[in-house]
Amino acid sequence: MSLGLSSTSLAQAPRQPHAGEIAADLRRLGVAGSVLYVAAHPDDENTRLLAYLAGGRGLRAGYLSLTRGDGGQNLIGTEQDELLGLIRTQELLAARRIDGAEQLFTRARDFGYSKSADETLRIWGRDQVLADVVLAIRRFQPDVIITRFTTLPPNHGQHTASALLAEEAFTAAADPSRYPEQLGALKPWKADRLLNNVSTWNLKPDADMSAYLKLDVGGYDPLRGRSWGEISAESRSQHKSQGFGVPAERGSQLDYFKPLAGTQPKSDVFEGLELSWRRWSGTEQLVRVIDEAVNGFDARAPHKSVPALLRVHEALSALPDSNPWKAIKLRETEELLAACAGLFLEARAAEAMAVPGSAVALNLVALNRSPAPFRLVGVTLPGGESVAAGTELADNKPFKLSRTVTIPEGARISTPYWLRKPVAGGLYSLDEQDRALVGRPEGEPDLSVTFLYEVGGKRFSVVRPVVYAWTDPVRGELYRAFEIAPAITATLDREVLMFPNGTAQSVSVVLAAGRADAEGKVRLELPAGWRAEPAEVPFKLAARGDERTVGFQVTPPKGAAERGRLRVVVESGGRAESWRVRTVTHEHIPPQTVRQPSEAALVPFALATKVRRIGYIPGPGDRVAESLAAVGYEVTLLPEERLGSEKLERFEAILVGVRAFNANQRLALHHERLMRYVEQGGRLIVQYNTNSRVGPLNASLGPYPLEIGRDRVTDETAAMTPVDPHLPLLKAPNRLAAADFEGWVQERGLYFASKWDEHYKPVFSMNDPGEEPLRGGLLVARHGKGTFVYTGIAFFRQLPAGVPGAYRLLANLLAQ
């Protein structure tokens, strides 16, 4: 793992590299070459290649993911959209910490599966995303750019678009007339060559690959004690929200490449490229001192390499500032100095967060765990105050300093920088002061401390983010980023509030105190004609961290049919503010917090329901059950372990969550009992399950043969044409019309049935532009006295988004 350049999160436990890693990074000092890998999503990257490039070749390797993966599905929780993108951002950072590459992004949003690059580039805005790719190239300055995908369909449109943009940016980044606003500190950059990493996952074993360049990326590194295949498997397995745990690979592994533009190598990916310091004249002294540092390294006494690294640092400092690798290698060298000494520098806050204007107690530690003569000169605290230390760091004895700093009254509230503004369209919108962060995985830390130390007569500074650490009784010591919080947050229990048939709804608001003795009143701002009772609620919260839930009854105006917006306003201390807080907590990533204005959509609509008692067999990552409960259904969760003993006949209908049979293979054991429930008069609705070569669906879903394919309709405006307009479920208890299929989000549906027994009757025909109609999105079959339904329609997206027609359609299915 690279000490200086692999991606890190703002909230990471300090990690001391072992001697093997230090030895590997010493060798990296002599390498001055870089490779940028470009694709569309988290999980698209070739982690084996990245691990080999960074570790085996010592190159600076980066992965440019055009999106944060917001539009996918979630196997580990119910987070969707921007919260899922937040999870996948952290999963990418975790992967990069393992394979040693860096992580980059653009502002593009993953809006879901797309069948064409034209659609993708239209939604994103081709010029804006191209500008971001050019910016990434100019910043990273790669010698080689590698694409994961080709420009040829058929493919996911975002995949194809990533290849098209990389190809155009390869030329545009070198042209000073393209995006000149980026130039100044940055310069035009011409990469030497553009390659495509040829996909091999669907090739036959005897496929002829002789026309392609190849690299054996399956080598073994004795310094790490692992092969690149083993490292890359651990890296790829960080994509846990996608269920991408993979086994380790050992032995020779070939990757193949096709030259696309620039110089055309004939036999080797790096043919003709000088990727050492010898590519520049006048670097002979630097090469010599790096070789001395590498050859003189003692794994049992890394601190003995400190003098050699100081000589490397001096030789690097003598290079002209125009050398693109000078600053990078100076940083690497400084981090190797600290690593060889086992230097531990940390700034902890006594609390996880604080509000503007409040005081924060900081505890600083500096510790030299080697005999090397390090001296702590001083520290610079948040706000700029300098504190002299003037103490020797030796004998494994920590220097400790406690100080209290004050958060400025005007400090910005902590939230991921790309989520500060409302999320809509194909691009994340950024505040003007965040524009410099375009492409970065995370923003700057809210508080940081600079340590100034001296060794060998030279002074070096190290910036550490302020963190909060605590001890979990099971997982041990954990870290999170220190955050600046509002004085009071007022978080609604739902982001979309449904008002069926004009009925009033109870709305709960959770008030949380960011400071002690918080008091004031909370009210709801509503559109004209809407009423909230009471008009306002006074509150007092004595201690920081205290919470209180307050309730309102919200009533729409008579005959309301238009969506509106609700805003929660807290008046306290002479200020009126609106903040909600959402947290994302999973064991494999640091806790994530999103703070945004506290608002919700108000959706009045007509809904007739014929049944009330619903059983819900949960799948991974959907909120259908809670959405149904919010409009009046009595929903009982039926986890697999309850199905064997539960009296299913007490439910008027049973609904199976998305991918439930994929996620829990034991559900197949209950197939016969579920079919008996249908036969005796029950209604069973199975939402989509996936079926693919790598993840075949082996369970039977319905009473008759049924095969699930990979067909989908991605155009959320696609016409929903009834196969039989007289079908009862289109008329009762809700008479469905064209308006019911307006306002849908992201897609109509996915993983439609591809083959089915004649007992199944298709309900709708639908298709994306230019494609043949599909009928496998909603199938209904009578079985005995009851009804079985398979549906790929994306209820799991539409219901949480507040799409009235989706509620009405599902109500009809539940009632048949």
Side-chain angles (χ1 to χ4, degrees):
M1 182 176 67
S2 167
L3 299 173
L5 295 172
S6 60
S7 296
T8 58
S9 171
L10 294 180
Q12 287 302 309
R15 181 183 179 278
Q16 170 64 32
H18 59 65
E21 293 169 327
I22 294 174
D25 280 291
L26 282 169
R27 294 179 179 179
R28 281 175 61 100
L29 290 177
V31 181
S34 59
V35 177
L36 183 63
Y37 199 88
V38 182
H41 310 109
D43 89 345
D44 287 344
E45 77 274 27
N46 184 339
T47 56
R48 187 176 60 192
L49 177 61
L50 291 174
Y52 166 79
L53 293 172
R57 300 294 292 253
L59 295 162
R60 184 187 185 196
Y63 174 46
L64 174 59
S65 177
L66 268 58
T67 75
R68 296 176 186 265
D70 334 59
Q73 287 89 51
N74 185 357
L75 273 177
I76 61 172
T78 60
E79 298 90 352
Q80 293 181 14
D81 302 318
E82 64 264 30
L83 293 187
L84 179 57
L86 190 60
I87 291 172
R88 293 189 174 178
T89 294
Q90 291 298 318
E91 290 177 338
L92 279 169
L93 290 173
R96 299 294 81 79
R97 288 192 293 274
I98 292 165
D99 59 39
E102 297 178 57
Q103 185 59 52
L104 302 84
F105 290 102
T106 73
R107 290 169 293 162
R109 289 184 61 226
D110 177 4
F111 55 83
Y113 193 91
S114 172
K115 291 183 177 178
S116 76
D118 287 343
E119 180 195 50
T120 293
L121 294 171
R122 174 176 54 81
I123 293 174
W124 281 350
R126 180 180 189 128
D127 192 64
Q128 293 96 317
V129 181
L130 176 61
D132 288 1
V133 179
V134 169
L135 179 65
I137 292 172
R138 287 172 172 172
R139 281 178 175 167
F140 198 79
Q141 299 185 332
D143 296 291
V144 179
I145 299 174
I146 301 176
T147 61
R148 166 77 284 182
F149 303 105
T150 74
T151 59
L152 302 175
N155 204 335
H156 189 324
Q158 294 179 21
H159 291 171
T160 308
S162 72
L164 289 166
L165 291 169
E167 194 166 297
E168 186 173 353
F170 177 79
T171 302
D175 185 349
S177 69
R178 303 290 300 274
Y179 309 106
E181 69 279 4
Q182 297 177 0
L183 303 178
L186 292 177
K187 303 296 181 186
W189 182 259
K190 181 174 178 56
D192 185 88
R193 62 193 57 163
L194 176 69
L195 309 173
N196 172 242
N197 185 194
V198 178
S199 177
T200 59
W201 69 270
N202 59 349
L203 294 178
K204 296 180 180 179
D206 59 349
D208 182 8
M209 306 297 288
S210 61
Y212 302 116
L213 304 172
K214 62 179 181 291
L215 274 179
D216 187 346
V217 297
Y220 171 78
D221 184 9
L223 292 175
R224 294 170 173 83
R226 294 197 293 172
S227 68
W228 308 122
E230 290 170 315
I231 292 172
S232 72
E234 183 184 353
S235 172
R236 187 163 184 79
S237 296
Q238 300 310 303
H239 295 301
K240 300 182 188 302
S241 64
Q242 303 188 64
F244 275 170
V246 297
E249 295 178 314
R250 299 170 182 87
S252 177
Q253 299 287 332
L254 295 179
D255 260 307
Y256 297 92
F257 304 86
K258 178 182 179 181
L260 300 176
T263 58
Q264 300 287 306
K266 303 298 183 184
S267 59
D268 183 81
V269 167
F270 299 108
E271 178 181 302
L273 295 179
E274 177 56 73
L275 301 177
S276 76
W277 288 107
R278 292 180 176 85
R279 63 194 295 182
W280 293 281
S281 61
T283 58
E284 295 80 8
Q285 170 67 7
L286 174 59
V287 171
R288 184 180 64 80
V289 294
I290 289 175
D291 287 344
E292 290 174 354
V294 171
N295 295 331
F297 180 68
D298 183 349
R300 288 190 170 276
H303 68 277
K304 293 180 179 178
S305 291
V306 167
L309 285 168
L310 290 172
R311 291 191 291 271
V312 172
H313 196 278
E314 183 177 3
L316 284 166
S317 299
L319 295 176
D321 291 341
S322 59
N323 188 296
W325 283 89
K326 177 179 178 178
I328 296 169
K329 293 301 179 178
L330 279 172
R331 186 167 69 249
E332 285 188 22
T333 304
E334 291 170 13
E335 292 179 344
L336 275 167
L337 277 168
C340 286
L343 190 62
F344 178 84
L345 303 170
E346 185 181 73
R348 289 191 185 188
E351 301 289 341
M353 59 194 69
V355 303
S358 66
V360 180
L362 300 183
N363 296 302
L364 280 53
V365 175
L367 175 63
N368 174 14
R369 293 173 287 187
S370 80
F374 278 65
R375 179 174 176 271
L376 183 66
V377 177
V379 296
T380 302
L381 301 173
E385 179 189 357
S386 294
V387 180
T391 183
E392 300 299 323
L393 296 177
D395 302 325
N396 200 31
K397 294 180 181 178
F399 169 85
K400 296 182 179 181
L401 178 69
S402 295
R403 284 289 190 275
T404 298
V405 299
T406 300
I407 307 295
E409 286 285 354
R412 296 176 91 193
I413 301 301
S414 302
T415 204
Y417 76 86
W418 65 95
L419 297 179
R420 287 192 184 279
K421 301 188 75 172
V423 176
L427 288 180
Y428 282 112
S429 299
L430 304 185
D431 278 349
E432 186 60 34
Q433 65 190 100
D434 291 328
R435 296 286 297 176
L437 298 173
V438 169
R440 291 185 52 171
E442 298 180 292
E444 297 289 346
D446 291 303
L447 297 181
S448 59
V449 171
T450 301
F451 293 83
L452 181 64
Y453 69 86
E454 185 178 276
V455 59
K458 295 182 179 295
R459 289 189 172 185
F460 302 95
S461 62
V462 175
V463 179
R464 289 284 188 263
V466 174
V467 297
Y468 174 71
W470 75 103
T471 302
D472 181 275
V474 175
R475 299 169 61 199
E477 187 177 52
L478 301 173
Y479 280 68
R480 64 179 299 164
F482 173 81
E483 298 175 343
I484 298 174
I488 303 162
T489 57
T491 304
L492 289 154
D493 59 346
R494 286 168 284 159
E495 299 171 46
V496 177
L497 303 172
M498 306 299 294
F499 292 83
N501 309 317
T503 56
Q505 293 287 311
S506 296
V507 176
S508 296
V509 178
V510 179
L511 300 171
R515 58 177 171 81
D517 301 319
E519 62 179 295
K521 55 187 179 181
V522 58
R523 57 182 170 83
L524 304 183
E525 288 184 351
L526 294 163
W530 290 72
R531 300 195 321 272
E533 296 178 357
E536 59 185 33
V537 178
F539 66 87
K540 289 185 179 181
L541 299 169
R544 180 169 51 182
D546 280 0
E547 293 186 358
R548 177 186 168 191
T549 299
V550 299
F552 296 88
Q553 192 83 350
V554 176
T555 305
K558 187 175 181 179
E562 299 295 324
R563 292 173 73 107
R565 297 291 293 177
L566 171 155
R567 186 180 181 93
V568 185
V569 178
V570 174
E571 296 182 6
S572 179
R575 303 174 68 176
E577 294 185 309
S578 178
W579 289 102
R580 68 170 176 175
V581 60
R582 292 183 291 172
T583 57
V584 176
T585 306
H586 294 285
E587 286 194 3
H588 68 297
I589 62 173
Q592 303 293 303
T593 308
V594 180
R595 298 178 178 89
Q596 296 167 319
S598 186
E599 298 179 345
L602 303 170
V603 187
F605 73 115
L607 178 69
T609 57
K610 185 177 177 181
V611 301
R612 192 169 187 84
R613 297 184 307 279
I614 305 295
Y616 196 87
I617 301 173
D622 79 58
R623 292 183 287 162
V624 171
E626 64 183 78
S627 298
L628 290 174
V631 295
Y633 287 95
E634 294 177 5
V635 183
T636 301
L637 293 181
L638 298 174
E640 181 273 326
E641 56 270 21
R642 283 184 55 181
L643 286 178
S645 57
E646 183 67 55
K647 294 181 178 180
L648 300 183
E649 62 272 14
R650 74 185 184 93
F651 299 109
E652 296 172 276
I654 295 176
L655 191 58
V656 182
V658 299
R659 294 176 297 170
F661 286 89
N662 298 127
N664 188 347
Q665 295 185 7
R666 288 185 56 82
L667 277 181
L669 301 176
H670 302 280
H671 178 261
E672 182 178 345
R673 189 160 190 260
L674 289 169
M675 294 305 104
R676 195 160 56 245
Y677 162 79
V678 176
E679 191 174 18
Q680 294 170 357
R683 304 170 183 89
L684 178 66
I685 302 173
V686 176
Q687 297 180 79
Y688 89 89
N689 281 260
T690 64
N691 187 26
S692 66
R693 180 184 63 84
V694 295
L697 179 64
N698 297 316
S700 295
L701 299 182
Y704 312 109
L706 173 71
E707 292 185 21
I708 308 303
R710 298 183 63 80
D711 287 334
R712 62 178 75 204
V713 174
T714 64
D715 182 356
E716 64 271 28
T717 67
M720 300 279 283
T721 305
V723 174
D724 177 3
H726 304 293
L727 201 64
L729 73 81
L730 298 175
K731 300 179 179 181
N734 299 283
R735 181 170 290 275
L736 301 179
D740 286 301
F741 302 101
E742 296 174 358
W744 287 46
V745 298
Q746 186 156 320
E747 60 205 344
R748 287 295 191 198
L750 62 170
Y751 297 103
F752 289 1
S754 57
K755 295 180 182 179
W756 53 87
D757 183 272
E758 62 183 9
H759 286 86
Y760 295 102
K761 304 302 179 185
V763 178
F764 291 109
S765 172
M766 63 187 104
N767 59 276
D768 281 318
E771 296 187 356
E772 292 297 315
L774 299 173
R775 294 188 170 195
L778 179 58
L779 302 176
V780 179
R782 294 291 296 177
H783 180 57
K785 299 178 181 179
T787 304
F788 173 86
V789 175
Y790 174 79
T791 179
I793 290 176
F795 291 111
F796 78 104
R797 292 200 190 279
Q798 312 311 321
L799 269 57
V803 178
Y807 279 92
R808 288 161 53 83
L809 172 58
L810 186 54
N812 285 12
L813 293 175
L814 290 167
Q816 294 304 308

